[in-house]
Amino acid sequence: MESKRQQKFAGVIQEDLAAIFQREGMNYLPNTLVTITKVRVTPDLAIARVFLSFFNNGNTAQSLATVKQHASEIRYKLGSRIKDQVRVVPQLEFFVDDTSEYVDRMEKIFDKIHREEEQKDSE
Protein backbone atom coordinates (compact mmCIF):
# COMPACT_ATOMS: atom_id res chain seq x y z
CA MET A 1 0.00 0.00 0.00
CA GLU A 2 1.36 3.37 -0.98
CA SER A 3 1.89 6.08 1.59
CA LYS A 4 0.44 9.56 1.18
CA ARG A 5 3.92 10.80 0.33
CA GLN A 6 4.28 8.26 -2.48
CA GLN A 7 0.82 9.08 -3.83
CA LYS A 8 1.49 12.80 -3.80
CA PHE A 9 4.87 12.37 -5.48
CA ALA A 10 3.34 10.04 -8.09
CA GLY A 11 0.68 12.67 -8.81
CA VAL A 12 3.33 15.33 -9.40
CA ILE A 13 5.26 13.04 -11.74
CA GLN A 14 2.09 12.05 -13.62
CA GLU A 15 1.07 15.66 -14.13
CA ASP A 16 4.49 16.78 -15.33
CA LEU A 17 5.01 13.76 -17.59
CA ALA A 18 1.58 14.39 -19.12
CA ALA A 19 2.65 17.93 -19.94
CA ILE A 20 5.92 16.70 -21.44
CA PHE A 21 4.17 14.13 -23.64
CA GLN A 22 1.53 16.65 -24.63
CA ARG A 23 4.09 19.22 -25.76
CA GLU A 24 6.84 17.00 -27.11
CA GLY A 25 5.23 13.61 -27.63
CA MET A 26 4.98 14.20 -31.37
CA ASN A 27 8.79 14.22 -31.54
CA TYR A 28 8.90 10.66 -30.19
CA LEU A 29 5.68 9.21 -31.62
CA PRO A 30 4.13 11.13 -34.51
CA ASN A 31 0.35 10.87 -34.89
CA THR A 32 0.02 9.04 -31.57
CA LEU A 33 -1.67 10.24 -28.41
CA VAL A 34 0.14 9.09 -25.28
CA THR A 35 -1.73 9.08 -21.99
CA ILE A 36 -0.14 8.50 -18.59
CA THR A 37 -2.77 6.38 -16.86
CA LYS A 38 -0.96 5.61 -13.63
CA VAL A 39 2.32 6.24 -11.83
CA ARG A 40 3.59 4.07 -9.00
CA VAL A 41 6.59 5.15 -6.93
CA THR A 42 8.82 2.96 -4.77
CA PRO A 43 8.94 3.80 -1.04
CA ASP A 44 12.38 5.43 -1.38
CA LEU A 45 11.06 7.56 -4.31
CA ALA A 46 13.97 6.37 -6.48
CA ILE A 47 11.96 4.55 -9.16
CA ALA A 48 8.75 5.64 -10.83
CA ARG A 49 6.80 3.04 -12.78
CA VAL A 50 4.83 4.84 -15.46
CA PHE A 51 1.89 3.14 -17.16
CA LEU A 52 1.14 4.46 -20.64
CA SER A 53 -1.80 4.10 -22.96
CA PHE A 54 -1.37 4.69 -26.69
CA PHE A 55 -4.21 5.88 -28.93
CA ASN A 56 -4.28 6.09 -32.71
CA ASN A 57 -1.50 3.55 -32.88
CA GLY A 58 -1.37 0.04 -34.28
CA ASN A 59 1.80 -1.26 -32.66
CA THR A 60 1.95 -0.56 -28.92
CA ALA A 61 5.08 -2.68 -28.41
CA GLN A 62 7.04 -0.57 -30.87
CA SER A 63 5.69 2.63 -29.30
CA LEU A 64 6.75 1.46 -25.86
CA ALA A 65 10.21 0.61 -27.19
CA THR A 66 10.47 4.11 -28.67
CA VAL A 67 9.51 5.71 -25.36
CA LYS A 68 12.04 3.52 -23.54
CA GLN A 69 14.75 4.64 -25.98
CA HIS A 70 14.03 8.25 -25.06
CA ALA A 71 13.70 7.53 -21.30
CA SER A 72 16.86 9.44 -20.33
CA GLU A 73 15.77 12.48 -22.33
CA ILE A 74 12.28 12.34 -20.78
CA ARG A 75 13.83 11.99 -17.30
CA TYR A 76 16.01 15.04 -17.97
CA LYS A 77 12.97 17.10 -19.00
CA LEU A 78 11.07 15.86 -15.96
CA GLY A 79 14.01 16.81 -13.75
CA SER A 80 14.07 20.34 -15.11
CA ARG A 81 10.37 20.67 -14.22
CA ILE A 82 10.45 19.19 -10.70
CA LYS A 83 13.98 20.09 -9.60
CA ASP A 84 12.75 22.47 -6.89
CA GLN A 85 10.37 19.89 -5.40
CA VAL A 86 12.61 16.81 -5.09
CA ARG A 87 16.13 15.88 -4.10
CA VAL A 88 16.59 13.12 -6.66
CA VAL A 89 14.78 12.70 -9.95
CA PRO A 90 13.52 9.10 -10.03
CA GLN A 91 14.48 6.54 -12.64
CA LEU A 92 11.58 6.04 -15.04
CA GLU A 93 10.31 2.60 -15.98
CA PHE A 94 7.65 2.52 -18.68
CA PHE A 95 4.91 -0.09 -19.07
CA VAL A 96 1.85 -0.46 -21.29
CA ASP A 97 -1.46 -0.08 -19.48
CA ASP A 98 -3.70 -2.69 -21.07
CA THR A 99 -6.75 -1.93 -18.93
CA SER A 100 -8.86 -0.79 -21.89
CA GLU A 101 -8.06 -3.98 -23.80
CA TYR A 102 -9.00 -6.02 -20.73
CA VAL A 103 -12.31 -4.15 -20.38
CA ASP A 104 -13.12 -4.72 -24.06
CA ARG A 105 -12.38 -8.43 -23.72
CA MET A 106 -14.58 -8.71 -20.61
CA GLU A 107 -17.45 -6.86 -22.31
CA LYS A 108 -17.33 -9.30 -25.22
CA ILE A 109 -17.47 -12.23 -22.80
CA PHE A 110 -20.44 -10.74 -20.93
CA ASP A 111 -22.24 -10.04 -24.21
CA LYS A 112 -21.71 -13.63 -25.29
CA ILE A 113 -23.07 -14.93 -21.97
CA HIS A 114 -26.06 -12.57 -22.21
CA ARG A 115 -26.90 -13.77 -25.75
CA GLU A 116 -26.63 -17.41 -24.69
CA GLU A 117 -29.04 -16.76 -21.80
CA GLU A 118 -31.51 -15.05 -24.14
CA GLN A 119 -31.37 -18.03 -26.49
CA LYS A 120 -32.08 -20.45 -23.63
CA ASP A 121 -35.00 -18.31 -22.44
CA SER A 122 -36.53 -18.16 -25.92
CA GLU A 123 -36.46 -21.94 -26.32
Side-chain angles (χ1 to χ4, degrees), residues 103 105-116:
V103 169
R105 197 167 58 238
M106 293 304 290
E107 285 181 357
K108 288 177 184 176
I109 291 170
F110 288 133
D111 286 343
K112 182 179 176 185
I113 292 170
H114 183 70
R115 281 186 301 225
E116 288 174 357

Side-chain angles (χ1 to χ4, degrees), residues 78-108:
L78 176 67
S80 65
R81 294 177 70 97
I82 65 172
K83 65 182 179 226
D84 297 331
Q85 300 171 350
V86 297
R87 273 186 234 159
V88 177
V89 178
Q91 286 294 119
L92 300 175
E93 295 179 354
F94 295 101
F95 301 94
V96 173
D97 183 14
D98 58 353
T99 305
S100 62
E101 294 170 8
Y102 177 75
V103 169
D104 289 341
R105 197 167 58 238
M106 293 304 290
E107 285 181 357
K108 288 177 184 176

